[in-house]
Amino acid sequence: MADDLNSTYEYPFPMPSEEEVAYSDGAIKGRTPGSPSAYDKGGSTRWTPDAIAEVQALAQLGRYQVRGYNCFNQRMPTFDDLTFVPATMTRLPLEGYRESCDMTTVLGAGTGLVEKPLELKIPIYVASMSFGALSASAKAAIGYGASKAGTMTCTGEGGMLEDEREASQKLVYQLTPARYGVDLEHIRKADGLELVVGQGAKPGTGGLLLGMKVVERVSKMRSLPAGVDQRSTVRHPDFLGADDMAVKIEELRIATNYKVPILVKMGATRPRFDVAIAAKAGADIVVLDGAEGGTGASPELLLNHTGIPCLSAIRPARQALEDCGMSDKVSLVVSGGIRTGVDVAKCLALGADAVMIGNAAMIALGCNSPRYEEDYHALGTSPGACHHCHTGMCPVGITTQNKELEKRVNIAAGAERVYRFLTAIAMEVTMLAKACGKSSVHNLEVEDLRALSFEASAFTGVKMAGLDRAFTW
Amino acid sequence: MCGIAGRILNQEGGVGRDLVELMDAQAHRGADSTGFAIYTKPLPEGGKVRLMGFDRRNLNSDLDDVIKILKSHGSDLLTDPQIDDASTTHYSVRLEVREPANVESWIAEADLISNRIEVLSYGISLEIIKDVGDAKAVADKHNLRIMQGTHGLGHARLATESDVSPKASHPFWARPFPDVAIVHNGQITNYYLWRDKLELQGYRFMTENDSELLAVWISDQKRKGLSLQQALIKSVSEIDGVFTFMISDLNGIGLAKDRFAMKPLVTLESEGELIAATEEQAVRRIAPDRWDVFNYDGPSMTQIWPLRTIEAAA
Amino acid sequence: MSEKVIQVGHRDIRIINQEFLAALEAGYSVVVTDTLSRHNLGVGLPQSGKIHFDGSVGYYCGGLNTGTDVRVENNAGWGTGEAMSGGTITVNGYSGMSTGAAMLGGLIHVKGDCGPRCGVAMKAGDIVVEGNLGYQAGFMAHRGRIIALGGAGPSCGDALWEAEVWVAGDIESLGVDAKIVEPEAEEVEEINALLKQLGLEERFRDWRKIVSEQKLWYFESRDANSWLMI
Ligand code: SF4
């Protein structure tokens, strides 16, 4: 062999046996040489254990996998890549523990068409989660908690639940493509009407509620046979584009006698265009839901691989409104993976007028809490890692229609926790705003932020920390 | 994101006024920009060029360049240029010219300065007029109501991009095919696939607008030997997405609709006349008392409305 | 009942609708002239009364109606009677796309043909069409009946839930997950009774009743055990 060293050197001791060379380092007969532990881990960058499991699952099922919760794509950036640069010498801070900072948030007043814009005490409200995806008790608890915090909730797809209408002082009523239970009576009971053209978790696809959650009360509200997999339409039945949507919005205004604002909710995909179009079609409020947004059930591929992150969607959305001269007229609400007041403050600084929280409110209520551990285990998961909302077997009773499980939601205590959480994160927002010298949280601006990664800077146009200019190509 | 309209008269008449009415009735479907393709009396010789310049400060030098290029292709002005005197930065120009030796190579060169001044249309009869604003505004600015002709198209646009550019509005000329124009309502989802293929064949696109693609796509199919009818039918299976478009030439107007039955078109036809619009209420502007309209709202529909005046002449 | 004439023309649509409501609530029977196919005429009408549109109407006429009897002399645009929960809407001419979209009750009677996706997502009520149904009639309709004395276009009964599409004439093609079943005698009786009520001639009709094949109903949960553990 050409590359063989062909050494003629001889050891001053006897040549070891082949057996000794091969196994005296602890290697095991009958398997490939090398350190056993490293070998066991595998190392394919493409065929990770997860990728292999995915193929196996698809091969078994003959269809996509379904799950709930939210995006597991590791490449999604987080708001942690941004940091605030509070007032120092160039600006003067406000007293964080003493001076007050205005949080009042008015949505839908800009067009001047609406008699009762949505006036919230805080720039945060609870995102649309349907009765069906959530239990009635969970909806009620969230409603009461939000009411106490002076903010609102949203019905989600499944129609207007009496429990929630009663609990929520302000309630946005969704008109999704499936229009479950939408009639004049309910439309007139709403404080805002939301036309849903998409959601962050699965833009381009309609709602999904698996058979085990379509129990009698749910099936009645949705006019469905009990127990079917409800896979809703994605296109609205009676308008197809922004041009027809303008006519639809006029209809809703007439039906409510111009009382309440019209919201248009969409998943974040091409916000620079989509937001401009919604604004031009006549929306009072545009709700932009990032890819990290949660859902009760979805084909997993859509959760992980569709939409753009909230972080990257806010500035183009604001820009779109500015480009068409609607920045002061149309309110912008964003959502998707918002965890704390810090995230909220960053959204406001990037250009949002208000922020919706979904998963965070559920967690405040008790999702993934360390109780009923055996039930988590039965689902093959544990507290802190649960994402099994689609099964309807939520161990803490939030995303279930099982009466027994639902009892695990303590409405009063849950409401109070939701309220305290909302209070806490609102307080966090003001703390940051005051450190940045603002007497209103709505005065947070892009200049208050710096990016910690090129990526975050490129996504948002926020100046790089230290460099004081945005990353550009 | 828009409203469209088509009109055929059975003899030369006020087609400009009718199209303005049709588009004014649909202004709520998009008032960012409005455009018209009008087939006016054909010139005995030569063709009409409609242009849009983007910086009025350079009007004279840019127009000189246009004329220079025309001359180098064996063409020349037959009359003085007509230029709008609005206060906008952009401006529009109408020329009557001797026919270039080869329209395709002339427009190829003319397009080299399209970032300064762009050819909107060329033909012996076709004139494309487009501008920002609603039908009334565009009509007033360009004296559309008095334009006489046999047929034409109209379009109101809700811009899907944030900034409204006057040049991105419809109708589009199927460059380099003289006298062919298109209006379209809908979105094409395999736009870039087709655009890449057509660009490889040497076609050029002035905008990222899918309607422009449709115009060239149909004309290219015709150049390859298909009749208009065949090209329209083929478009329904080859073009993906939702659309209703009307394509016009000297002989009349053709229509094709996607296979999903999404975008509407309401028509009223009689005695060689056609009124077509996205919404019935626009048709009412011209025929308030007739209600025997036809709805083109099924899947995969095509239609051709020939020009009676042409038939009579033939 | 005394009559009140309200002219539409190019007046503000909001004010026109307010005039409708005021007149209906005052007990007038309303006649609407110069309708010009305008959109959003007669939205959110009250639980009783009569309104007659003497001409064509645009989109969403009778939308969210709760009980008024609406009559349209000529054609209607998209989404006629969308989300209505009561009352009747009679369209003398052609009724455009999505007639009766997501309706929850009441009756729509179309004397001409119907556009695509008639009865889309409807939850209850009846749609009677004397002419033909367009493309995808009954798309994802939950409950209620769509009854056509004429034929049906392509993809009839597409992705139905429990709604039924009844067709007396030819059906161009069936939609996804749809099948034709033989109707029961009592069901036919019921349909005939309804037609009679609408003044339609009683005679033998070769009914095809289209219902869901239910193959799409249990797509995910049929193998619940296998995905429970992901
Ligand atoms: S605890 Fe309940 S709500 Fe939370 S992820 Fe698990 S199933 Fe969903």
Side-chain angles (χ1 to χ4, degrees):
Chain A
M1 269 179 284
D3 292 340
D4 200 311
L5 291 177
N6 266 328
S7 174
T8 52
Y9 178 80
E10 283 195 25
Y11 293 119
F13 44 78
M15 183 66 187
S17 71
E18 287 302 317
E19 183 88 4
E20 271 179 283
V21 174
Y23 301 115
S24 63
D25 71 343
I28 298 161
K29 276 189 193 176
R31 57 168 293 170
T32 334
S35 161
S37 62
Y39 189 80
D40 283 352
K41 271 190 206 138
S44 169
T45 48
R46 312 306 300 156
W47 295 105
T48 58
D50 284 351
I52 291 168
E54 174 77 13
V55 172
Q56 289 165 338
L58 298 185
Q60 258 183 44
L61 292 171
R63 62 155 172 77
Y64 49 82
Q65 301 216 59
V66 174
R67 68 169 175 82
Y69 214 43
N70 47 40
C71 177
F72 287 178
N73 186 336
Q74 300 296 318
R75 295 291 302 145
M76 283 288 162
T78 81
F79 284 101
D80 295 345
D81 281 335
L82 298 176
T83 187
F84 276 97
V85 282
T88 304
M89 292 295 286
T90 61
R91 296 174 169 199
L92 204 60
L94 300 186
E95 290 288 350
Y97 303 116
R98 291 167 197 87
E99 275 164 324
S100 69
C101 179
D102 185 29
M103 287 193 281
T104 314
T105 300
V106 182
L107 302 174
T111 53
L113 290 170
V114 175
E115 194 179 306
K116 286 186 186 164
L118 293 161
E119 224 185 292
L120 311 178
K121 266 195 187 153
I122 56 175
I124 308 159
Y125 69 93
V126 183
S128 47
M129 297 181 282
S130 73
F131 164 64
L134 265 61
S135 63
S137 304
K139 286 294 282 177
I142 288 173
Y144 287 118
S147 295
K148 186 166 176 187
T151 190
M152 65 181 180
T153 64
C154 178
T155 61
E157 172 162 57
M160 193 184 281
L161 185 78
E162 306 85 61
D163 315 35
E164 184 180 30
R165 179 60 280 191
E166 206 183 299
S168 296
Q169 277 185 351
K170 283 202 175 66
L171 180 63
V172 171
Y173 185 36
Q174 274 198 342
L175 271 67
T176 65
R179 306 277 169 83
Y180 299 123
V182 173
D183 60 11
L184 191 64
E185 186 193 338
H186 288 101
I187 279 184
R188 291 201 173 146
K189 276 187 190 159
D191 301 298
L193 295 175
E194 181 163 290
L195 283 169
V196 181
V197 291
Q199 69 179 110
K202 44 180 187 289
T205 312
L208 176 61
L209 189 70
L210 295 180
M212 39 294 262
K213 290 171 89 169
V214 184
V215 299
E216 207 192 315
R217 189 174 182 195
V218 175
S219 79
K220 270 214 183 105
M221 280 181 63
R222 302 190 187 208
S223 312
L224 284 168
V228 297
D229 292 332
Q230 170 234 296
R231 305 192 294 168
S232 306
T233 46
V234 57
R235 289 192 303 265
H236 277 270
D238 53 0
F239 67 88
L240 295 173
D243 33 27
D244 321 319
M245 191 202 255
V247 184
K248 183 77 199 171
I249 288 176
E250 184 184 66
E251 186 206 5
L252 296 175
R253 291 202 193 282
I254 292 169
T256 54
N257 204 12
Y258 288 68
K259 269 211 182 72
V260 302
I262 311 291
L263 304 84
V264 173
K265 179 186 178 179
M266 58 181 74
T269 55
R270 299 178 183 86
R272 193 180 298 275
F273 306 130
D274 299 334
V275 170
I277 293 171
K280 287 180 185 179
D284 297 305
I285 301 163
V286 175
V287 181
L288 189 61
D289 190 18
E292 308 94 322
T295 185
S298 166
E300 187 173 27
L301 69 157
L302 301 178
L303 277 173
N304 290 350
H305 303 288
T306 58
I308 66 168
C310 181
L311 174 71
S312 64
I314 304 173
R315 291 212 68 198
R318 174 56 65 190
Q319 193 60 46
L321 293 177
E322 254 151 36
D323 284 350
C324 47
M326 302 266 198
S327 217
D328 295 333
K329 296 199 176 104
V330 176
S331 312
L332 178 67
V333 177
V334 304
S335 58
I338 308 301
R339 300 158 299 180
T340 60
V342 181
D343 288 353
V344 173
K346 288 172 183 174
C347 289
L348 297 185
L350 288 172
D353 292 314
V355 173
M356 292 198 302
I357 54 161
N359 281 134
M362 282 165 62
I363 293 169
L365 183 59
C367 158
N368 266 300
S369 63
R371 304 175 290 153
Y372 309 104
E373 294 210 22
E374 52 306 341
D375 290 344
Y376 284 99
H377 296 319
L379 287 169
T381 187
S382 53
C386 184
H387 53 274
H388 291 57
C389 317
H390 60 298
T391 64
M393 295 169 70
C394 174
V396 292
I398 295 174
T399 54
T400 184
Q401 296 303 327
N402 176 313
K403 286 281 156 224
E404 285 311 305
L405 291 173
E406 187 178 343
K407 284 185 192 145
R408 295 177 182 178
V409 176
N410 177 334
I411 297 181
E416 181 64 16
R417 276 200 304 275
V418 169
Y419 159 67
R420 288 189 191 180
F421 176 69
L422 286 166
T423 308
I425 60 175
M427 207 182 284
E428 288 182 330
V429 180
T430 58
M431 181 165 282
L432 288 164
K434 284 184 275 191
C436 292
K438 324 275 175 178
S439 60
S440 159
V441 296
H442 296 293
N443 290 337
L444 283 165
E445 55 188 342
V446 180
E447 170 53 30
D448 295 319
L449 295 171
R450 289 294 180 274
L452 303 175
S453 69
F454 284 120
E455 197 182 59
S457 179
F459 278 148
T460 58
V462 167
K463 292 172 181 172
M464 284 291 300
L467 205 58
D468 278 338
R469 59 185 157 81
F471 175 84
T472 48
W473 270 270
Chain B
M1 306 299 141
C2 31
I4 59 178
R7 179 79 171 114
I8 297 178
L9 300 175
N10 57 18
Q11 58 183 42
E12 198 183 287
V15 71
R17 180 199 56 223
D18 283 3
L19 283 167
V20 171
E21 283 300 316
L22 288 168
M23 294 325 302
D24 182 43
Q26 302 186 98
H28 61 276
R29 299 188 73 85
D32 286 329
S33 61
T34 311
F36 300 88
I38 297 185
Y39 289 82
T40 54
K41 198 180 194 60
L43 292 179
E45 53 150 352
K48 302 165 190 176
V49 183
R50 282 280 185 168
L51 296 140
M52 182 180 287
F54 301 111
D55 192 343
R56 200 178 284 272
R57 287 168 304 182
N58 308 330
L59 192 153
N60 289 336
S61 60
D62 287 346
L63 201 52
D64 280 350
D65 287 343
V66 168
I67 295 164
K68 234 179 267 163
I69 295 171
L70 275 167
K71 282 183 176 162
S72 73
H73 285 267
S75 171
D76 201 354
L77 299 192
L78 294 174
T79 55
D80 283 342
Q82 292 165 258
I83 302 158
D84 82 63
D85 53 6
S87 56
T88 49
T89 320
H90 66 275
Y91 59 94
S92 55
V93 182
R94 179 181 185 275
L95 305 176
E96 290 185 5
V97 302
R98 195 176 319 128
E99 190 179 340
N102 178 328
V103 173
E104 195 164 353
S105 43
W106 158 66
I107 190 68
E109 202 179 330
D111 281 347
L112 294 177
I113 58 165
S114 65
N115 58 334
R116 291 187 275 138
I117 182 163
E118 182 185 316
V119 177
L120 298 181
S121 67
Y122 175 79
I124 60 164
S125 166
L126 170 68
E127 300 189 45
I128 289 181
I129 297 129
K130 50 175 94 168
D131 216 319
V132 293
D134 62 15
K136 280 204 181 92
V138 177
D140 290 347
K141 181 170 167 187
H142 298 276
N143 285 325
L144 268 155
R145 286 194 188 82
I146 57 164
M147 282 183 80
Q148 300 283 306
T150 46
H151 61 301
L153 302 172
H155 188 278
R157 176 158 183 270
L158 189 141
T160 50
E161 65 267 37
S162 318
D163 54 329
V164 185
S165 150
K167 70 180 239 182
S169 41
H170 306 221
F172 285 101
W173 171 40
R175 66 175 12 84
F177 303 94
D179 291 299
V180 181
I182 199 158
V183 289
H184 159 228
N185 178 16
Q187 307 92 37
I188 293 166
T189 51
N190 58 350
Y191 169 80
Y192 285 100
L193 293 178
W194 274 117
R195 179 170 167 153
D196 290 349
K197 279 186 210 170
L198 289 167
E199 277 179 339
L200 281 174
Q201 291 176 43
Y203 292 106
R204 275 176 327 283
F205 294 88
M206 293 292 112
T207 65
E208 299 223 327
N209 196 295
D210 41 15
S211 316
E212 189 186 12
L213 177 108
L214 278 170
V216 176
W217 192 92
I218 293 280
S219 301
D220 178 61
Q221 294 293 327
K222 279 169 68 185
R223 178 182 265 187
K224 289 181 176 139
L226 262 54
S227 68
L228 175 61
Q229 177 71 25
Q230 288 167 328
L232 290 171
I233 289 171
K234 191 172 174 189
S235 75
V236 174
S237 55
E238 299 279 311
I239 306 287
D240 208 350
V242 295
F243 55 83
T244 291
F245 68 84
M246 284 190 278
I247 185 160
S248 58
D249 61 15
L250 292 172
N251 304 315
I253 297 176
L255 156 85
K257 265 182 67 66
D258 65 68
R259 60 199 106 157
F260 309 106
M262 295 285 182
K263 297 290 177 180
L265 190 77
V266 183
T267 64
L268 190 62
E269 296 167 55
S270 63
E271 292 163 20
E273 293 224 6
L274 169 75
I275 309 170
T278 302
E279 296 181 13
E280 184 173 329
Q281 53 105 3
V283 176
R284 296 274 150 257
R285 284 281 181 99
I286 298 180
D289 302 320
R290 296 266 311 272
W291 60 280
D292 47 338
V293 296
F294 184 78
N295 277 268
Y296 281 87
D297 56 7
S300 310
M301 298 176 97
T302 59
Q303 184 62 265
I304 293 174
W305 295 284
L307 212 61
R308 169 81 71 86
T309 42
I310 294 276
E311 280 173 3
Chain C
M1 209 187 300
S2 50
E3 216 175 75
K4 181 150 206 152
V5 177
I6 295 175
Q7 182 259 359
V8 174
H10 296 291
R11 296 192 304 132
D12 185 347
I13 206 73
R14 180 182 180 185
I15 290 169
I16 293 168
N17 273 289
Q18 283 167 347
E19 290 172 2
F20 291 165
L21 288 192
L24 287 166
E25 265 146 32
Y28 289 105
S29 151
V30 180
V31 173
V32 187
T33 59
D34 204 10
T35 52
L36 298 179
S37 302
R38 292 278 305 272
H39 300 317
N40 293 323
L41 286 170
V43 165
L45 293 170
Q47 282 172 4
S48 64
K50 273 201 169 93
I51 187 164
H52 180 176
F53 294 95
D54 192 15
S56 284
V57 295
Y59 296 0
Y60 312 131
C61 176
L64 295 154
N65 182 10
T66 55
T68 301
D69 286 337
V70 181
R71 203 183 149 81
V72 177
E73 204 46 52
N74 299 340
N75 301 324
W78 286 12
T80 303
E82 72 87 26
M84 69 189 271
S85 49
T88 60
I89 299 179
T90 309
V91 179
N92 243 337
Y94 180 90
S95 187
M97 197 183 85
S98 312
T99 300
M103 67 190 278
L104 292 143
L107 174 95
I108 298 180
H109 178 188
V110 179
K111 300 204 172 179
D113 295 340
C114 231
R117 286 176 284 272
C118 149
V120 52
M122 71 189 283
K123 311 294 190 290
D126 289 303
I127 302 177
V128 176
V129 180
E130 292 189 37
N132 298 314
L133 297 174
Y135 178 65
Q136 267 188 344
F139 180 61
M140 294 204 75
H142 292 244
R143 283 185 201 130
R145 289 176 301 195
I146 298 166
I147 301 156
L149 305 191
S155 292
C156 185
D158 203 282
L160 287 171
W161 291 110
E162 292 170 300
E164 301 167 0
V165 185
W166 290 65
V167 183
D170 292 339
I171 297 168
E172 219 171 301
S173 65
L174 287 183
V176 175
D177 204 25
K179 65 175 179 190
I180 298 180
V181 295
E182 200 50 49
E184 308 275 329
E186 308 99 76
E187 291 177 320
V188 176
E189 278 306 296
E190 265 180 53
I191 299 274
N192 284 339
L194 174 66
L195 294 180
K196 198 171 165 189
Q197 225 179 291
L198 299 175
L200 291 165
E201 175 200 5
E202 224 183 320
R203 62 178 166 91
F204 171 78
R205 291 188 175 90
D206 181 17
W207 288 114
R208 252 68 50 79
K209 177 183 162 191
I210 298 154
V211 297
S212 173
E213 265 203 294
Q214 306 192 4
K215 281 191 187 152
L216 291 177
W217 285 21
Y218 304 99
F219 189 77
E220 273 101 7
S221 57
R222 64 175 179 200
D223 43 14
N225 290 331
S226 45
W227 53 255
L228 218 70
M229 303 294 288
I230 68 164

